Amino acid sequence: MDINKGLQAIESHRDLHIWIIENLKMVPVPERAYGNFFEEHCYVILHVAQSPKATQGASNDLHYWVGTAAGAEAQGAAEASVQSLQEALRGPTVQHREAQGHESDGFRSYFRPGLIYRKGGLASGLKHVETDMYNIQRLLHIKGRKHVSATEVKLSWDSFNKDDIFLLDLGKVMIQWNGPKTSISEKHRGLALTCSLRDRERGGRAQIGIVDDEVKAADLMHIMEAVLGCRVGSLRAAMPSKSVTLMQKANVRLYHVYVKGKDLVIQELATRPLTQDLLQEEDCYILDQGGLKIYVWQGCMSSLQEKKAAFSRAVGFIQAKGYPTYTNVEVVNDGSESTAFKQLFRAWSKERGRNKKPGGKLIQVKLDVDKLHIQPELAAQLRMVDDGSGKVEVWCIQDLCRQPVDSKHHGQLCSGNCYLVLYKYQNLGRVQYILYLWQGHQATEDEIKALNCNAEELDLMYHGALVQEHVTMGNEPPHFLAIFQGQLVVFQGSIGHSGKEQPAPATRLFHLQGTDSHNTKTMEVPARASSLSSSDVFLLVTAGICYLWFGKGCNGDQREMARMVVPVISRKNKETVLEGQEPPHFWEALGGRAPYPSNKRLPEEVPSFQPRLFECSSHMGCLVLTEVVFFGQEDLDKYDIMLLDAQQEIFLWLGEAASKWKKEVVAWGQEYLKTHPAGRSPATPIVLIKQGHEPPTFTGWFFTWDPYKWTNSQSYEEVAEGSLGAVPAISEITAELNNFQLSRWPGAGRAGPSALQALKGSQDSSENKLEVGSKAGGSSPRPSSYVSSTSSVINGSLPREQLMHQAAEDLPEGVDPTRKEFYLSDSDFQDIFGKSKDEFYSMATWRQQQEKKQLGFF
């Protein structure tokens, strides 16, 4: 392929481009065939960071994919093509090597609802996908959780197992057989892939049948046995899959790669946690993440020869370490590092080393509550659902029970206790709740357990509508501070039995931090001089007087907020003291002078990061995370538990059908922080959110959010119930099978060639009948968004006036009211929907329904 011509194609608005290596050249793959990969070939895949889901400044991703049966020449051509594209592309690009069956989460995220591995090779001139071919017999093995794949396997019962899903594709009929040990979420995702195959490869004209129970789906089993023969013996269990644990991912090692004489030297530099200053711009490095993934980092001053050798060096490293040949490789250049790479380091700055610019003044942004409601992305970035003016209730955990706190003392907490803070506010016309679970540093294990138990009781009282945020003392989020309007004070000690406070010491020192009512908090610190800091304000309380001490580095806003907080702490006489002008009694109360931080604190740099979304699952008692890259709301479904890492806090989203894991999810968030390669703080707030109760601080991380999406989606049970035994085409094929008496085969569970040929002939001869869809067996099909109910009306035969905005009873005889658009001519369909039928049926079902509602076809 001419690279320049290929770049012209890339100028389009599509974010994904795929080429197959055929005769050692790059050949474009048609868009409708994306996700289909032949095992004897290599492919080049480019993801362009122009999608609205991509964060600004994100890099392009350039992958080469190697099939299990691909030859060495094809692999070499794919790698060379990637290098040529890399040189021709503008903007930062990350290179990846992917192997069939072991692709990275990022690669798999491009292909919803799944990858399809096809046997053999692509003969010259043959298209990847023929949309009107029904003369098909193949068996697909479907497996995976968030990222599903389908592999073409031998057409035999020997290919089946108890734990996975298998799809018998017979052209006009597609039978999904669910293993007895598959979960509902696996069935749901398998069905999404089956429907995608039907819509993309058959234009939505094939029938889908589901075998959840072989006894109840006798007709479907009759067809399967005609093709596969009678099953002999019991089904085997699936080979256990190897799941990657968080501890494996946390095992990171950095190596310096350089040439010494004629030898290539790889020297280990550091282990977790890594720091960015280890990477020097003149050199190249290999980062080994537990043998699971190999990163090659190339400094901006490294030579072109070194950059071209990146993949070969990674492969050599993999061989030297004895890692599997399919180990994933990612090549990143200085300044265009991927999010996954940057988050392996303790901190990451856009400007590094000697090029780093000194910090400037902090820009104070005035909180505009109206903008928070209409711009959830702003709410997410500021971590504020509103200005904190909603209704507040506070309870203190005493004697393992919750005791209400008087509103006069709402902002006064003790480090030895735990508190529940319930906040009620309005969002999009709905009442919403946040329950903060605040944990003092000196609280006991029993009190922490009681805090969680009481939170669950409150959640039950509010019918599961509470967003629960776990907050550790000293790591309070901005909205928690805003609730108390700048007057949050944390005292040392605890409230004991019967609500009595421990006796307070005669001398106490308080550290006041903040510039306005939305970011100010006051913490009691040890009463000694070393606790002071020139950047802040402190209040020293003694037996007779209070000293309000202003450090040299504090500003007017800090001083003003401090004066507002002082009455909350003490009503004694107050004396203002400037740093350097302290009276002798001030130092005597602190036990004498001592060194303390006296340099002006520079503004903290806002870390550069992109939020990351993971699916959570448990395997053999260990937490397993699967990342979804370039995520959207469609990546959440009712069977999921998802973890959204927003750097400053962790969100755990619980789908309504995943409630059985509710008790584990907070512990999963804690484990994620504990094992993070970058050494994250275990005190990072953890927010538990249930489906349908998402606050704007969560939804704002998604490019778009439809608050009504959950009310329009169908569950797997609803879909499956509507499909079993309701498909005329299946009845037709069953009748044909009975005529041929194909259910009686000699031999050990194998169908003879005559049987397969008879079924093939049955399909060919009945193709026209299946298109017309006569109602064999006299059963009336029930509508389903996943099952194409046929009718006596031929596709494309009706004018739009008889279909648009028509009630079911007013439709022509034989028209399926759930698929009215199906009966439009291709030209009418294009004119009304602005796309072809193939494009329409390749979309997600909920998107199809949304468009049909808008255009009068629902």
Side-chain angles (χ1 to χ4, degrees):
M1 184 197 81
D2 185 341
I3 293 295
N4 291 326
K5 287 184 180 178
L7 286 175
Q8 290 175 10
I10 294 168
E11 298 294 325
S12 70
H13 295 293
R14 285 191 289 119
D15 56 4
L16 196 64
H17 305 265
I18 303 178
W19 297 266
I20 186 172
I21 301 299
E22 189 178 0
N23 298 324
L24 306 184
K25 293 182 180 179
M26 289 171 59
V27 178
V29 173
E31 216 178 327
R32 66 186 180 190
Y34 283 8
N36 285 266
F37 292 90
F38 285 92
E39 61 183 16
E40 292 183 3
H41 286 272
C42 293
Y43 290 75
V44 174
I45 298 93
L46 172 65
H47 184 270
V48 182
Q50 62 186 15
S51 165
K53 292 182 183 178
T55 303
Q56 286 187 348
S59 302
N60 299 327
D61 288 281
L62 189 52
H63 308 253
Y64 78 90
W65 181 92
V66 181
T68 53
E73 284 189 338
Q75 293 185 45
E79 185 176 338
S81 298
V82 164
Q83 296 293 352
S84 299
L85 268 176
Q86 164 78 45
E87 293 170 14
L89 283 168
R90 300 169 189 169
T93 303
V94 178
Q95 299 177 42
H96 309 258
R97 188 192 72 161
E98 312 279 356
Q100 179 179 340
H102 303 278
E103 297 87 354
S104 63
D105 288 342
F107 183 88
R108 288 174 173 267
S109 295
Y110 303 147
F111 304 102
R112 299 182 179 93
L115 291 168
I116 301 156
Y117 304 129
R118 302 181 65 174
K119 279 188 173 296
L122 181 67
S124 181
L126 179 66
K127 295 180 181 178
H128 266 73
V129 175
E130 297 280 0
T131 53
D132 292 319
M133 283 183 62
Y134 301 102
N135 186 17
I136 292 172
Q137 285 183 2
R138 64 174 174 174
L139 181 64
L140 296 175
H141 179 190
I142 300 175
K143 60 180 180 178
R145 291 187 57 83
K146 199 64 181 175
H147 300 308
V148 178
S149 64
T151 306
E152 195 170 338
V153 293
K154 183 181 177 183
L155 204 62
S156 166
W157 283 114
D158 294 338
S159 300
F160 285 66
N161 66 62
K162 298 176 182 178
D163 304 270
D164 294 325
I165 295 169
F166 292 82
L167 177 64
L168 181 61
D169 185 0
L170 302 175
K172 275 291 181 181
V173 172
M174 306 171 83
I175 302 175
Q176 179 175 317
W177 182 94
N178 297 325
K181 292 195 174 180
T182 52
S183 67
I184 292 180
S185 62
E186 288 171 318
K187 295 174 185 178
H188 182 70
R189 288 165 186 165
L191 186 52
L193 178 57
T194 299
C195 294
S196 174
L197 281 170
R198 175 200 65 188
D199 295 338
R200 285 190 296 167
E201 297 192 12
R202 313 292 143 72
R205 298 177 184 88
Q207 305 293 345
I208 294 174
I210 301 171
V211 178
D212 265 331
D213 185 318
E214 293 185 352
V215 175
K216 293 180 180 178
D219 280 357
L220 299 176
M221 287 302 299
H222 188 50
I223 296 173
M224 293 185 72
E225 289 175 351
V227 179
L228 304 171
C230 295
R231 190 169 68 222
V232 176
S234 57
L235 291 166
R236 60 181 174 86
M239 292 291 290
S241 58
K242 293 182 179 179
S243 295
V244 178
T245 65
L246 295 189
M247 288 306 297
Q248 288 174 280
K249 289 184 177 181
N251 182 20
V252 292
R253 295 178 182 273
L254 185 67
Y255 298 84
H256 181 205
V257 182
Y258 61 96
V259 177
K260 187 176 182 180
K262 293 184 178 181
D263 297 324
L264 181 67
V265 180
I266 299 178
Q267 178 185 8
E268 184 173 336
L269 280 186
T271 58
R272 170 194 182 212
L274 303 176
T275 54
Q276 189 181 1
D277 57 7
L278 291 166
L279 305 174
Q280 300 299 312
E281 60 187 11
E282 302 86 3
D283 295 319
C284 291
Y285 300 84
I286 286 178
L287 193 157
D288 179 0
Q289 188 176 14
L292 306 168
K293 188 169 186 175
I294 303 300
Y295 295 88
V296 181
W297 185 89
Q298 303 173 128
C300 58
M301 302 295 290
S302 59
S303 68
L304 182 62
Q305 185 179 0
E306 285 181 316
K307 290 178 179 178
K308 286 187 175 181
F311 275 118
S312 59
R313 286 181 177 177
V315 171
F317 179 84
I318 287 168
Q319 291 172 344
K321 285 285 189 179
Y323 295 154
T325 55
Y326 54 73
T327 302
N328 191 254
V329 175
E330 182 173 305
V331 178
V332 292
N333 292 310
D334 189 355
S336 61
E337 296 85 356
S338 64
T339 300
F341 180 82
K342 289 187 287 191
Q343 293 195 12
L344 295 173
F345 291 77
R346 182 179 285 279
W348 192 272
S349 171
K350 291 180 181 178
E351 302 288 343
R352 13 179 247 112
R354 57 178 176 272
N355 297 322
K356 188 170 181 178
K357 299 175 183 177
K361 287 186 177 181
L362 274 175
I363 300 173
Q364 296 294 329
V365 180
K366 187 177 180 181
L367 187 65
D368 189 332
V369 182
D370 293 332
K371 284 187 177 180
L372 292 179
H373 289 305
I374 61 175
Q375 293 180 284
E377 65 273 17
L378 184 63
Q381 290 164 11
L382 296 177
R383 302 168 67 195
M384 299 280 287
V385 298
D386 65 2
D387 62 355
S389 59
K391 184 180 178 182
V392 183
E393 289 184 80
V394 182
W395 296 269
C396 178
I397 301 301
Q398 297 174 31
D399 300 328
L400 308 185
C401 298
R402 61 180 183 276
Q403 299 296 332
V405 175
D406 189 282
S407 59
K408 293 184 294 186
H409 305 295
H410 271 181
Q412 300 170 33
L413 312 180
C414 293
S415 64
N417 291 103
C418 292
Y419 294 82
L420 290 167
V421 179
L422 179 62
Y423 184 77
K424 178 181 177 181
Y425 68 105
Q426 291 270 346
N427 183 42
L428 298 175
R430 294 174 54 201
V431 176
Q432 291 191 272
Y433 306 90
I434 300 176
L435 180 65
Y436 291 100
L437 290 75
W438 189 91
Q439 178 183 322
H441 279 167
Q442 298 171 316
T444 65
E445 286 295 323
D446 286 343
E447 286 174 317
I448 295 169
K449 287 180 182 177
L451 176 72
N452 292 315
C453 289
N454 279 275
E456 285 305 306
E457 288 179 12
L458 279 175
D459 192 43
L460 288 173
M461 288 171 58
Y462 283 86
H463 308 289
L466 303 184
V467 171
Q468 298 179 39
E469 180 156 1
H470 294 253
V471 177
T472 304
M473 172 182 159
N475 289 272
E476 293 82 6
H479 186 257
F480 185 85
L481 302 179
I483 288 174
F484 302 108
Q485 298 297 303
Q487 299 196 358
L488 174 67
V489 181
V490 180
F491 298 89
Q492 292 294 318
S494 63
I495 299 174
H497 296 288
S498 303
K500 294 182 179 179
E501 292 187 33
Q502 295 176 348
T507 302
R508 308 179 82 172
L509 182 65
F510 295 86
H511 182 188
L512 293 83
Q513 296 172 281
T515 56
D516 60 37
S517 61
H518 300 135
N519 64 15
T520 297
K521 64 180 176 181
T522 302
M523 311 284 285
E524 185 175 358
V525 294
R528 50 178 179 257
S530 59
S531 297
L532 300 172
S533 170
S534 295
S535 298
D536 293 316
V537 177
F538 289 80
L539 179 68
L540 177 62
V541 180
T542 67
I545 193 171
C546 290
Y547 294 101
L548 186 58
W549 184 85
F550 294 138
K552 292 178 180 178
C554 71
N555 59 36
D557 289 335
Q558 288 175 282
R559 292 192 286 269
E560 187 62 31
M561 285 305 303
R563 291 188 179 97
M564 291 176 59
V565 175
V566 168
V568 176
I569 300 171
S570 175
R571 298 282 181 179
K572 295 178 181 177
N573 292 331
K574 179 183 67 178
E575 180 178 330
T576 300
V577 177
L578 302 180
E579 183 178 6
Q581 301 178 20
E582 302 86 354
H585 181 253
F586 178 88
W587 294 115
E588 289 171 10
L590 292 175
R593 293 177 181 267
Y596 59 83
S598 57
N599 294 328
K600 185 176 180 179
R601 184 172 59 241
L602 292 174
E604 291 184 9
E605 181 183 4
V606 177
S608 171
F609 78 99
Q610 284 180 298
R612 301 177 72 186
L613 183 70
F614 301 87
E615 183 205 34
C616 302
S617 58
S618 180
H619 181 75
M620 305 293 288
C622 296
L623 174 61
V624 177
L625 296 181
T626 303
E627 184 169 10
V628 182
V629 183
F630 302 109
F631 57 84
Q633 187 183 4
E634 63 270 20
D635 294 304
L636 311 177
D637 68 49
K638 65 183 288 185
Y639 307 103
D640 283 335
I641 297 170
M642 307 298 290
L643 185 151
L644 178 67
D645 184 352
Q647 193 72 15
Q648 293 178 294
E649 55 199 344
I650 302 297
F651 294 96
L652 286 156
W653 184 90
L654 196 64
E656 65 178 29
S659 57
K660 67 175 182 177
W661 296 102
K662 185 177 177 182
K663 292 183 179 179
E664 286 85 354
V665 291
V666 174
W668 286 357
Q670 293 166 343
E671 185 180 350
Y672 173 79
L673 293 169
K674 182 180 178 181
T675 58
H676 198 283
R680 298 278 288 280
S681 168
T684 303
I686 296 173
V687 188
L688 177 61
I689 299 169
K690 290 177 283 298
Q691 181 180 345
H693 301 285
E694 297 85 359
T697 46
F698 175 79
T699 63
W701 294 116
F702 293 76
F703 176 67
T704 58
W705 187 271
D706 177 6
Y708 306 105
K709 177 180 184 296
W710 311 128
T711 60
N712 296 326
S713 59
Q714 282 188 304
S715 68
Y716 169 79
E717 296 90 337
E718 291 169 332
V719 173
E721 184 182 353
S723 64
L724 286 175
V727 185
I730 291 173
S731 299
E732 284 201 20
I733 288 188
T734 303
E736 295 285 352
L737 290 174
N738 288 330
N739 291 338
F740 282 106
Q741 297 183 345
L742 297 179
S743 59
R744 301 176 183 175
W745 307 120
R750 296 177 61 86
S754 60
L756 297 178
Q757 187 60 41
L759 179 59
K760 178 174 178 247
S762 166
Q763 286 185 284
D764 293 341
S765 64
S766 63
E767 182 171 326
N768 188 52
K769 284 186 278 183
L770 293 174
E771 186 68 49
V772 174
S774 58
K775 300 179 181 178
S779 61
S780 176
R782 285 177 288 175
S784 165
S785 62
Y786 287 94
V787 178
S788 301
S789 299
T790 55
S791 70
S792 60
V793 180
I794 299 175
N795 168 33
S797 66
L798 293 176
R800 63 177 76 186
E801 295 80 12
Q802 295 184 28
L803 300 169
M804 292 178 71
H805 305 292
Q806 297 296 321
E809 59 270 16
D810 297 328
L811 291 170
E813 184 181 355
V815 169
D816 179 356
T818 67
R819 287 172 63 84
K820 291 188 283 187
E821 79 290 345
F822 182 76
Y823 304 93
L824 290 168
S825 67
D826 290 343
S827 59
D828 278 351
F829 194 99
Q830 182 74 42
D831 181 49
I832 295 170
F833 285 85
K835 57 178 69 69
S836 69
K837 288 184 180 179
D838 285 350
E839 291 171 326
F840 178 77
Y841 289 121
S842 67
M843 298 189 324
T845 305
W846 68 271
R847 287 189 184 276
Q848 295 178 29
Q849 292 175 340
Q850 200 171 47
E851 288 200 17
K852 285 161 67 172
K853 284 180 181 178
Q854 294 170 352
L855 298 170
F857 287 90
F858 193 74

